[in-house]
Amino acid sequence: MSASEPGGPGVRPDHPAAVEQLAAENDHLKVRVAVLTALEQRFRAILYGIGDGVVVTDLRGRVQQMNRAAESLTGWTEAEAAGRLVHEVFKIVNEHDRREVENPIDKVVREGAVAGLANHTLLIARDGTERAIADSASPIPGSTGAPGGVVLIFRDVSAERQAAKALRDSERILADILESTLSGYWDWNIPAGTEYLSPAFKRMFGYEDHELPNAPETWQKLIFAEDLPGVLDVFRQHVGTHGRAPFYNEIRYRHRDGSTVWVICAGRVIEWAPDGSAVRMVGCHVDITGRKRTEALLKTALEDVQRSNRELEEFAYVASHDLQEPLRKISSFSSLLVQECGAAVSADAREYLDHILAAVKRMQALINDLLQLSRVATRARPFAPVDLNETLREVLEDLDARLKESGGTVTVGPLPALDADAIQMRQLFQNLIANGLKFRKPGEAPVVQVRILEADANANRAVLCVEDHGIGFEPRFEERIFGLFQRLHGRQEYEGTGIGLAVCRRIVERHGGRITAEGRLGDGATFRVELPMRHANLKEGDAT
Amino acid sequence: MNRECSMILLLMAEDDPEDQMLVRKAFAQAHLANDLTVVNDGEELMDYLHRRPPYEQAIRPDLILLDLNMPRKDGREALREIKADPLLRSIPVVVLTTSSADEDILRSYDLGVNSYVQKPVTFPKLVELVTELGKYWFKIVKLPPHGE
């Protein structure tokens, strides 16, 4: 029974039975229409409520219906789109070559089967907005069973695509990082006893990916036996503290070629069982063999330097002693010669002998100075708290004769206490003050000032200065005066070997400080001494 | 110059012939005409003190001048032996050396040396030193009597 039956052939409308029948059929139809209307409403509710875009066309590809999602994705309203060709409303191109893609509706019409859309399809909306979409089209069966239309369903996949791309990117970045840092990666499923070991992990030890099984036993066999307990200990602490104690090891592995590979193995548990045990742990292997080799080389080099320094100090000390011996003989026999044969030799010869004696005396002074310099290291005492005020009092006592002889004065401001070698501090200030007294202007009583410029416990620095108003020196000699046996004046003008300031510099450097000089020709000199106030490595008991 | 002084026997252990000569000269210039006997190292010194050949006729010295750095047996060893020997330890020993090392000074006094003197660097200073030594040991100090 179909809607076209009423009023069919052989029924006469004026016949009362026919009228009755017609009325009955009419009622029936009304019910059918109501049912159909309800069905359509339901269909429309479903259609318009679907989150994906839905477009219904007839077989010629003309839009009949489209839901709200389709409206918002295409930019067309259903009313505007109705009757238009679907190509106009649903414009799709390949995202790479931007060529038009075959509309799935055409395919459905042609093949009569469900058509999926090719990947990388962009939908171009009415306002030009482009969106990556996924879609499919299906035939709608008509009353005869042949297709009566096509339904096109599509959705915006740009967010998904973006997320997938981000994931791919980060995976590629991670792989690049691991590869470019030559790092190995491991991923351990602890209860299952399986462990993924990346190709770079295995390559680090000279193996191809397929040559080693992905299992914890693999690394446990390659690691140095004596390093394994330490790693397991660190692992237990990491798990025991629920990840608070870092899992970090510097360990050795045996390379396939027998060599040692130093590795940083660091990682962390990323999945815990409810009972607090570790389920999954991931980490990295970084090859630090080069660094370890360099460290070992540096250590050896440092030891070599320290040994050769020690030997040099010993040499200087021994040489100074042994060099004195022949000098003592030259000096003594020259004296005897003068005493015993003085009358027999000429005045010239006596003068030569005097020169020999003077030269010997100078040489002895030089050797003594050299000895003093080497003693800065060989006679070094551990650092202990030193009150510089006390040091300066002692220095002034020692210099008393020179002060009286020169008529000089030394003014000393309040000074700090610091960690130092007390004897060397005394030597330092004695040399600096004696220097200031010595290079006084002729006929003028020298004045030397010792004062503090800065004492900063936080910066661990004390800066002191020793200033005089003597003859000074040209600024270009500021560095040279600290050199060994460097003198700016003839021996006849100012005596001395030129060792005093070299000793000062050595002492200050041994204390981790700095000493500089500022000279003003004809207007004195200022020595600036910078010293650390505290030394962290004071041995216990040194402070007493 | 002093008759009593000339009775006193000095024994010097010194390996360096030049130093031996200089000390002799200095003694002469200091007018100390003592009998100065010289041995060349620690072994000879001990042989002398124990009257071993060729020193069977050796006379016990009143004072020993001892160098520290000598071949075969150095002054430190000889000093230890002398001061450990009940028959020899009453002989005063004066170390005369170039060393000014603290450990040498400390060790020498530890072993029982009577004086530690550094060799002066000039001859006049050596004469001065010998004069002072002579004054002290031969005039001021009472030495242990002979024939113990």
Side-chain angles (χ1 to χ4, degrees):
Chain A
M1 199 157 61
S2 80
S4 58
E5 270 177 45
V11 177
R12 297 215 311 269
D14 55 346
H15 192 277
V19 171
E20 204 170 289
Q21 192 191 345
L22 274 175
E25 282 184 6
N26 197 24
D27 286 348
H28 189 68
L29 272 175
K30 278 182 183 162
V31 172
R32 300 251 318 155
V33 166
V35 169
L36 280 173
T37 307
L39 269 176
E40 187 182 354
Q41 276 169 355
R42 197 163 149 177
F43 161 71
R44 290 186 73 90
I46 293 168
L47 174 66
Y48 288 97
I50 288 175
D52 287 358
V54 179
V55 175
V56 179
T57 71
D58 63 16
L59 286 176
R60 286 176 301 169
R62 291 194 190 277
V63 174
Q64 293 178 321
Q65 289 173 301
M66 57 195 285
N67 68 354
R68 305 227 195 298
E71 283 181 334
S72 85
L73 288 173
T74 60
W76 290 82
T77 64
E78 187 176 32
E80 288 169 330
R84 288 181 190 268
L85 278 173
V86 73
H87 303 90
E88 202 182 334
V89 175
F90 185 71
K91 271 184 166 165
I92 48 176
V93 296
N94 180 286
E95 76 179 359
H96 299 305
D97 57 20
R98 305 199 62 81
R99 279 207 217 125
E100 209 168 316
V101 176
E102 187 191 17
N103 204 293
I105 287 174
D106 296 341
K107 205 173 168 191
V108 169
V109 170
R110 197 175 66 238
E111 298 175 358
V114 175
L117 190 65
N119 288 327
H120 310 299
T121 302
L122 289 179
L123 169 66
I124 303 174
R126 201 177 184 184
D127 64 358
T129 308
E130 298 183 357
R131 291 185 182 87
I133 57 157
D135 80 343
S136 68
S138 317
I140 303 173
S143 50
T144 59
V150 180
V151 59
L152 172 69
I153 300 176
F154 56 99
R155 67 193 158 88
D156 183 355
V157 295
S158 21
E160 276 166 50
R161 290 275 296 280
Q162 221 131 41
K165 183 174 181 296
L167 188 62
R168 267 197 320 277
D169 282 355
S170 65
E171 275 171 357
R172 210 192 56 236
I173 289 168
L174 179 64
D176 281 356
I177 289 172
L178 290 174
E179 198 58 34
S180 60
T181 56
L182 304 174
S183 304
Y185 168 76
W186 50 267
D187 186 337
W188 187 9
N189 188 318
I190 296 158
T194 56
E195 184 167 6
Y196 169 74
L197 306 170
S198 75
F201 183 110
K202 297 172 185 173
R203 210 179 310 129
M204 202 175 281
F205 308 129
Y207 297 91
E208 291 301 319
D209 192 20
H210 66 272
E211 290 181 297
L212 291 176
N214 282 337
E217 289 76 28
T218 296
W219 65 265
Q220 287 168 359
K221 274 179 202 157
L222 289 174
I223 193 173
F224 273 42
E226 55 268 44
D227 289 358
L228 181 59
V231 174
L232 295 178
D233 210 43
V234 172
F235 169 71
R236 272 191 292 273
Q237 284 176 26
H238 180 67
V239 173
T241 60
H242 204 75
R244 273 188 300 280
F247 181 78
Y248 179 94
N249 307 274
E250 292 190 9
I251 42 179
R252 290 162 300 168
Y253 278 86
R254 183 66 67 199
H255 192 274
R256 186 178 213 167
D257 65 13
S259 62
T260 301
V261 183
W262 272 99
V263 162
I264 287 179
C265 175
R268 107 192 141 81
V269 173
I270 58 165
E271 206 181 313
W272 299 90
D275 68 357
S277 64
V279 174
R280 187 176 166 205
M281 187 173 182
V282 296
C284 257
H285 262 190
V286 178
D287 186 342
I288 52 164
T289 311
R291 195 191 88 194
K292 287 285 177 184
R293 203 174 291 143
T294 312
E295 277 175 9
L297 280 175
L298 273 178
K299 191 160 166 270
T300 315
L302 185 65
E303 282 166 1
D304 282 352
V305 168
Q306 284 171 338
R307 194 179 48 245
S308 96
N309 264 353
R310 234 174 7 251
E311 283 168 0
L312 212 61
E313 298 294 354
E314 278 165 23
F315 170 79
Y317 188 68
V318 169
S320 307
H321 268 109
D322 292 350
L323 285 174
Q324 294 277 26
E325 275 303 292
L327 280 178
R328 200 164 50 80
K329 305 283 173 57
I330 295 170
S331 159
S332 299
F333 286 107
S334 303
S335 298
L336 277 175
L337 196 61
V338 174
Q339 280 179 15
E340 295 185 6
C341 316
V345 298
S346 67
D348 278 353
R350 288 208 52 155
E351 200 192 318
Y352 301 153
L353 280 166
D354 284 344
H355 284 311
I356 291 172
L357 284 169
V360 164
K361 216 171 157 183
R362 211 161 58 241
M363 181 93 185
Q364 281 168 337
L366 286 172
I367 290 170
N368 275 330
D369 288 349
L370 212 51
L371 194 59
Q372 202 185 47
L373 192 70
S374 78
R375 277 178 179 164
V376 173
T378 57
R379 295 286 173 90
R381 285 152 197 268
F383 298 148
V386 174
D387 179 1
L388 290 182
N389 299 297
E390 183 57 33
T391 304
L392 266 290
R393 249 192 304 281
E394 291 167 0
V395 168
L396 293 189
E397 270 174 36
D398 290 344
L399 289 172
D400 192 48
R402 247 180 279 188
L403 281 168
K404 284 200 174 107
E405 167 246 328
S406 64
T409 45
V410 178
T411 62
V412 180
L415 298 175
L418 40 77
D419 293 338
D421 179 333
I423 290 176
Q424 292 188 346
M425 282 299 108
R426 192 163 155 177
Q427 201 178 358
L428 168 69
F429 286 101
Q430 173 143 351
N431 285 2
L432 288 176
I433 294 171
N435 195 73
L437 296 176
K438 179 159 83 179
F439 294 106
R440 61 182 178 261
K441 286 178 188 155
E444 230 175 72
V447 177
V448 178
Q449 288 174 300
V450 183
R451 60 178 198 275
I452 186 151
L453 296 179
E454 188 190 331
D456 186 340
N458 288 329
N460 192 24
R461 183 177 56 197
V463 185
L464 303 131
C465 93
V466 178
E467 194 169 29
D468 66 63
H469 303 283
I471 57 169
F473 57 86
E474 287 178 61
R476 66 193 171 102
F477 294 129
E478 280 170 1
E479 198 43 41
R480 190 168 160 184
I481 54 170
F482 291 104
L484 197 53
F485 300 134
Q486 289 294 332
R487 302 166 47 89
L488 299 180
H489 305 278
R491 272 198 304 278
Q492 282 71 34
E493 297 169 85
Y494 293 94
E495 61 175 15
T497 55
I499 194 87
L501 293 176
V503 170
C504 287
R505 171 158 279 185
R506 263 224 183 170
I507 289 173
V508 172
E509 283 175 355
R510 192 202 145 211
H511 283 74
R514 253 158 50 86
I515 180 168
T516 51
E518 191 195 313
R520 301 165 295 271
L521 189 60
D523 192 26
T526 306
F527 290 86
R528 190 177 175 280
V529 179
E530 192 181 312
L531 291 166
M533 298 189 74
R534 296 281 166 263
H535 286 272
N537 57 347
L538 278 196
K539 284 183 209 133
E540 238 174 277
D542 281 358
T544 55
Chain B
M1 76 188 225
N2 188 316
R3 286 175 67 96
E4 281 167 59
C5 289
S6 64
M7 305 295 289
I8 288 165
L9 175 68
L10 263 162
L11 177 62
M12 173 164 70
E14 167 67 68
D15 63 307
D16 186 326
E18 287 154 0
D19 273 330
Q20 294 174 359
M21 187 199 260
L22 286 171
V23 172
R24 274 186 197 284
K25 286 274 178 197
F27 266 90
Q29 293 205 4
H31 307 294
L32 291 166
N34 299 85
D35 195 350
L36 178 65
T37 308
V38 175
V39 289
N40 294 297
D41 57 52
E43 295 227 327
E44 282 188 25
L45 173 63
M46 297 319 292
D47 287 345
Y48 181 100
L49 292 174
H50 290 295
R51 292 187 180 125
R52 285 192 286 257
Y55 302 106
E56 295 93 335
Q57 305 305 311
I59 303 161
R60 180 184 168 93
D62 295 295
L63 182 73
I64 299 172
L65 283 179
L66 182 66
D67 187 17
L68 283 185
N69 299 311
M70 291 184 293
R72 298 212 292 167
K73 179 176 285 179
D74 71 12
R76 301 166 189 85
E77 292 168 79
L79 180 62
R80 189 185 315 109
E81 286 178 31
I82 292 168
K83 291 304 176 186
D85 188 323
L87 291 177
L88 300 177
R89 68 168 163 236
S90 59
I91 305 172
V93 179
V94 174
V95 164
L96 183 61
T97 179
T98 51
S99 170
S100 60
D102 289 345
E103 69 247 47
D104 277 337
I105 299 172
L106 283 171
R107 211 160 120 210
S108 298
Y109 280 111
D110 216 34
L111 289 172
V113 82
N114 300 79
S115 302
Y116 186 107
V117 180
Q118 201 184 348
K119 283 180 189 167
V121 291
T122 64
F123 184 71
K125 286 260 165 63
L126 180 65
V127 174
E128 231 171 78
L129 172 78
V130 164
T131 309
E132 293 301 320
L133 273 179
K135 233 190 248 167
Y136 181 77
W137 287 106
F138 309 144
K139 288 187 179 160
I140 297 172
V141 171
K142 279 271 179 229
L143 291 170
H146 280 248
E148 63 285 2

